[in-house]
């Protein structure tokens, strides 16, 4: 057991700061009444910092250096904890009106996030600048613009992020269990899950407006650099030879997979992928950023770029991709993690990815303390942590496979196939084990079929994203070939999702209201995956998925 702790992530110096950062943020969120004492926490942090600078003077009093070093570490950890608590209170606004009922009002604000559907409706996040209700100013609200089913149909104005709009709407506070007097909800489970998601982002209000009541006051001055890149990539994806009636739906799915823009996905496509538990392939996250990073590393390797220079090429290009996607939180987190790992790999001898993962988590908490309460953060870091555990299994399997086919003709080709397919299997199994309880908590359901089809979907998504990006970069004549491969991958993925959804509808609905219970389950699964390596690494493919599946089955039954 001692060897396990020495080799595990517990031995890293960053681990206590990672743990304390999460603990302090959760503590501040749970005890929001302490917000009025934030200055005491700030002064306490300053006091611990002063103690840290002066504690070395005890060397002259006969204390050993090792003893002083241990005390310094505890002092720094406590200082960091108080700093995180203070930072949360300063950066996260409190919900002053949790029971604000539906009210008609007129307001104006800036669009922060924006997406539109094929039916002419739009949704996103608006920051309120002016309102008749004074307490709404500077708040972020979730908006939905749509036409009423009855009455005159209006055309939605052309909107984009950064526009200032004026709207007459109905606005209300978000509650996980709103009273029945607030209106009839068609799908209460789905609505409750979405409201829980919005509250995790500390968005406390939601509004609805008819399309005819929306007007643009001021247009965004100019497109940002990231928007221009996104427009270029979308244009390249639209100017290829697959724009025919048969493949239009697959083109929209490819754009959603590469750029995270799901506005071109039909409601039928969304429901099919939801039923199979594979909707995650359309969220730009660690999978997509990792694929692009590996692609860039491979190009650098072919071009014989020295290792110490690769980070200066990979990181800027990777950031441009994240910028093109609109800087979604999941992609930014994945970028921070990959960038940390790449820099450590370039400037040091050997760096374990788990260390980069914890460093990126600490950076993410410092940038935005509320991020740890989001579904994206929890899924991203739990899944990546699981993948890192399963990657060690894959390395051993790959070494054994390479040794057996060392003298076989086309050994390199078979090794490449093994890495691609078996690596995809490791990724999927590791992801499913920890993603199931988190998905059940946030979205009120999980798909059993997703456990079996995810390996195939991860492989097809990897091919689609990699070839789609290559096709967007290369000239149309050559790029069209890669885009055809990407579309073919998306087509087979869609057909498989449709087949599984129609013949094996295994979407189970659950109601988990305790987030700490989910954390215990995920932590237990990760710990079990770590411990079984000392017995037999192959147990990770048998015991861990079995335990994870049984836990979810009993949760569903109970």
């Amino acid at each position: 057991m001692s060897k396990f702790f020495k080799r595990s992530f517990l031995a890293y110096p960053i681990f206590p700061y990672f743990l304390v950062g999460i603990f302090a943020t959760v503590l501040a969120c749970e005890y929001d009444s302490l917000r009025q004492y934030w200055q005491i926490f700030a002064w306490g942090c300053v006091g611990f910092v002063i103690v840290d600078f002066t504690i070395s003077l005890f060397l002259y009093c006969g204390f050993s250096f090792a003893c002083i070093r241990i005390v310094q570490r505890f002092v720094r950890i406590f200082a960091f904890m108080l700093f995180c608590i203070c930072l949360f209170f300063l950066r996260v606004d409190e919900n002053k009106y949790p029971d604000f009922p539906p009210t008609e009002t007129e307001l104006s604000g800036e669009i922060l996030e924006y997406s539109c559907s094929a039916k002419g409706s739009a949704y996103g996040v608006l920051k309120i600048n002016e309102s008749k209700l004074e307490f709404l100013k500077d708040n972020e609200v979730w908006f939905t613009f749509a036409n009423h089913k009855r009455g005159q149909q209006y055309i939605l104005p052309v909107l984009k992020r950064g526009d200032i709009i004026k709207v007459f709407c109905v606005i209300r506070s978000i509650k996980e269990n709103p009273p029945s007097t607030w209106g009839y909800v068609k799908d209460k489970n789905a609505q409750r899950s979405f409201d829980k998601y919005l509250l995790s982002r500390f968005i406390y209000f939601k509004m609805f407006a008819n399309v005819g009541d929306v007007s643009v006051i001021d247009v965004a001055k100019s497109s940002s650099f990231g928007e221009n890149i996104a427009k270029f990539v979308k244009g390249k994806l639209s100017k290829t030879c697959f724009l025919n009636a048969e493949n239009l739906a697959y083109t929209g799915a490819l754009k959603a997979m590469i750029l995270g823009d799901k506005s071109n996905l039909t409601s039928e496509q969304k429901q099919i992928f939801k039923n199979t538990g594979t909707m995650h392939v359309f969220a730009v996250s660690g999978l997509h950023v990792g694929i692009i990073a590996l692609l860039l590393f491979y190009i650098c390797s072919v071009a014989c770029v020295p290792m110490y220079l690769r980070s200066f090429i990979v990181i800027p290009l990777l950031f441009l991709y994240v910028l093109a996607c609109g800087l979604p939180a999941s992609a930014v987190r994945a970028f921070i993690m990959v960038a940390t790992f790449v820099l450590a790999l370039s400037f040091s001898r050997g760096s374990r990815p788990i260390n980069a993962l914890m460093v990126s988590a600490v950076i993410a908490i410092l940038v935005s303390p509320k991020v740890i309460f989001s579904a994206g953060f929890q899924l991203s870091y739990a899944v990546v942590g699981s993948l890192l555990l399963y990657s060690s299994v894959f390395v051993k399997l790959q070494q054994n496979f390479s040794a057996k086919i060392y003298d076989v003709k086309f050994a390199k080709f078979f090794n490449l196939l093994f890495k691609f397919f078996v690596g995809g299997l490791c990724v999927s199994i590791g992801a499913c084990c920890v993603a199931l309880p988190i998905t059940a908590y946030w979205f009120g359901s999980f798909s059993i079929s997703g456990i079996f089809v995810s390996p195939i979907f991860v492989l097809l998504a990897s091919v689609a994203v990699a070839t789609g990006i290559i096709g967007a970069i290369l000239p149309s004549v050559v790029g069209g070939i890669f885009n055809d491969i990407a579309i073919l991958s998306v087509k087979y993925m869609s057909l498989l999702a449709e087949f599984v959804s129609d013949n094996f509808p295994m979407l189970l609905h659950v109601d988990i209201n305790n987030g700490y219970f989910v954390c215990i389950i995920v932590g237990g699964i990760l710990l079990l995956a770590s411990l079984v390596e000392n017995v037999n690494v192959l147990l990770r493919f048998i015991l861990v998925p079995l335990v994870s599946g049984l836990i979810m089955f009993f949760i569903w039954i109970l």
Side-chain angles (χ1 to χ4, degrees):
M1 185 64 71
S2 61
K3 291 183 178 179
F4 164 74
F5 283 107
K6 286 180 181 179
R7 291 188 294 108
S8 70
F9 58 88
L10 299 174
Y12 283 97
I14 191 65
F15 176 71
Y17 296 96
F18 163 74
L19 196 63
V20 164
I22 293 178
F23 172 75
T25 308
V26 172
L27 188 69
C29 183
E30 288 291 330
Y31 297 96
D32 195 66
S33 58
L34 297 174
R35 181 183 295 270
Q36 56 185 322
Y37 306 112
W38 70 269
Q39 291 180 331
I40 297 177
F41 291 105
W43 282 112
C45 177
V46 173
F48 275 110
V49 171
I50 294 173
V51 171
D52 179 44
F53 277 106
T54 58
I55 201 170
S56 58
L57 296 176
F58 284 91
L59 278 172
Y60 300 102
C61 299
F63 290 91
S64 66
F65 178 76
C67 180
I68 290 178
R69 178 145 188 167
I70 292 173
V71 174
Q72 276 185 322
R73 286 183 179 178
F74 276 101
V75 168
R76 290 169 185 173
I77 289 171
F78 275 108
F80 186 71
M81 183 180 72
L82 295 177
F83 175 76
C84 288
I85 293 174
C86 183
L87 185 67
F88 179 87
F89 290 144
L90 291 176
R91 297 290 301 277
V92 181
D93 296 327
E94 63 178 324
N95 187 7
K96 296 181 180 179
Y97 300 92
D99 299 313
F100 180 66
T103 304
E104 288 186 342
T105 186
E106 189 176 56
L107 54 85
S108 63
E110 179 184 356
I111 296 177
L112 302 180
E113 298 177 20
Y114 176 77
S115 294
C116 60
S117 68
K119 296 182 180 179
S121 59
Y123 53 91
V125 178
L126 182 80
K127 183 176 181 180
I128 299 176
N129 296 334
E130 297 291 337
S131 173
K132 293 181 178 179
L133 303 172
E134 291 293 328
F135 66 87
L136 287 177
K137 288 184 179 180
D138 298 324
N139 273 282
E140 293 182 4
V141 300
W142 179 266
F143 68 81
T144 302
F145 302 148
N147 277 302
H148 293 294
K149 293 183 178 179
R150 298 178 182 178
Q152 186 177 355
Q153 301 295 300
Y154 297 92
I155 299 176
L156 183 70
V158 178
L159 301 173
K160 63 179 180 295
R161 191 168 63 175
D163 286 351
I164 306 297
I165 62 172
K166 185 178 182 179
V167 56
F168 182 78
C169 62
V170 175
I171 190 168
R172 70 168 177 86
S173 62
I174 298 175
K175 291 178 68 70
E176 288 191 34
N177 296 294
S180 57
T181 54
W182 283 18
Y184 171 74
V185 178
K186 186 177 181 181
D187 188 349
K188 290 186 178 180
N189 289 329
Q191 188 63 53
R192 185 159 61 252
S193 298
F194 184 66
D195 287 347
K196 185 192 294 185
Y197 163 74
L198 291 178
L199 288 173
S200 75
R201 296 181 57 184
F202 295 87
I203 296 176
Y204 301 124
F205 298 95
K206 186 161 55 174
M207 73 176 189
F208 173 83
N210 190 21
V211 170
D213 295 325
V214 180
S215 59
V216 180
I217 299 177
D218 189 13
V219 179
K221 300 300 183 230
S222 60
S223 298
S224 66
F225 187 50
E227 290 174 346
N228 291 331
I229 296 173
K231 192 180 297 183
F232 169 76
V233 175
K234 289 178 182 178
K236 291 288 290 184
L237 290 174
S238 303
K239 293 178 182 178
T240 51
C241 57
F242 54 73
L243 273 182
N244 53 65
E246 182 183 355
N247 289 329
L248 275 177
Y250 305 134
T251 305
L254 178 61
K255 291 179 181 179
M257 201 173 298
I258 294 177
L259 296 172
D261 182 8
K262 295 184 281 290
S263 58
N264 291 322
L265 286 175
T266 63
S267 56
E268 291 79 10
Q269 284 178 313
K270 292 179 181 178
Q271 189 60 47
I272 287 171
F273 282 96
K274 181 180 178 182
N275 290 340
T276 55
T278 53
M279 195 66 185
H280 58 84
V281 297
F282 298 111
V284 178
S285 58
L287 173 66
H288 302 70
V289 175
I291 291 170
I292 303 302
L294 289 174
L295 181 64
L296 293 172
F297 261 104
Y298 179 75
I299 294 173
C300 289
S301 177
V302 172
C304 298
V305 178
M307 180 61 73
Y308 66 89
L309 290 179
R310 291 182 188 180
S311 60
F312 298 103
I313 298 174
V314 172
I315 292 178
L317 293 177
L318 198 61
F319 181 72
L320 290 181
Y321 169 70
V322 175
L323 201 62
C325 297
L327 294 174
S330 57
V332 172
R333 287 191 297 271
F335 169 76
I336 293 173
M337 188 193 69
V338 172
T340 304
F341 178 63
V342 169
L343 288 172
L345 195 65
S346 299
F347 296 101
S348 65
R349 295 183 178 180
S351 175
R352 298 195 65 179
I354 192 70
N355 200 27
L357 181 67
M358 289 189 289
V359 169
S360 67
V362 172
I363 294 174
I365 292 171
L366 293 177
V367 171
S368 178
K370 62 185 180 182
V371 72
I372 71 167
F373 302 101
S374 66
F377 179 90
Q378 295 170 15
L379 280 170
S380 297
Y381 282 92
V383 167
V384 173
S386 178
L387 299 186
L388 295 178
L389 289 173
Y390 274 84
S391 64
S392 63
V393 181
F394 169 68
V395 170
K396 294 181 180 179
L397 292 175
Q398 201 271 330
Q399 289 174 348
N400 294 334
F401 180 78
S402 299
K404 289 180 179 180
I405 66 164
Y406 181 75
D407 296 327
V408 177
K409 194 176 182 180
F410 302 114
K412 289 185 177 180
F413 175 73
F414 288 121
N415 268 321
L416 185 63
L417 289 179
F418 184 89
K419 288 180 180 179
F420 190 77
F421 289 103
V422 179
L425 181 66
C426 291
V427 166
S428 301
I429 292 177
C432 283
C433 288
V434 295
L436 285 180
I438 300 175
T439 303
Y441 172 73
W442 282 109
F443 306 110
S445 62
F446 65 95
S447 175
I448 296 295
S449 58
I451 300 174
F452 304 101
V453 300
S454 278
I456 303 173
F457 276 80
V458 169
L459 294 174
L460 292 174
S462 301
V463 173
V465 172
T467 54
I469 288 292
I470 293 173
I473 295 173
L474 295 176
S476 300
V477 178
V478 183
I481 300 173
F482 287 94
N483 279 313
D484 283 340
I485 298 173
I487 283 293
L488 197 62
S489 300
V490 174
K491 182 176 181 179
Y492 285 127
M493 190 185 302
S494 301
L495 293 174
L496 177 60
E498 187 176 352
F499 173 78
V500 173
S501 179
D502 292 340
N503 297 281
F504 306 98
M506 299 167 65
L507 186 67
L508 305 181
H509 296 280
V510 295
D511 190 10
I512 304 176
N513 295 319
N514 195 324
Y516 298 111
F517 176 61
V518 175
C519 291
I520 292 172
I521 294 174
V522 173
I525 292 172
L526 292 174
L527 183 61
L528 179 63
S530 301
L531 292 174
V532 295
E533 185 178 5
N534 295 329
V535 183
N536 189 336
V537 292
L538 291 178
L539 281 177
R540 285 187 186 170
F541 289 100
I542 302 172
L543 184 61
V544 178
L546 180 63
V547 171
S548 177
L550 286 175
I551 290 173
M552 296 310 300
F553 176 75
F554 282 115
I555 289 175
W556 176 65
I557 290 293
L558 297 175

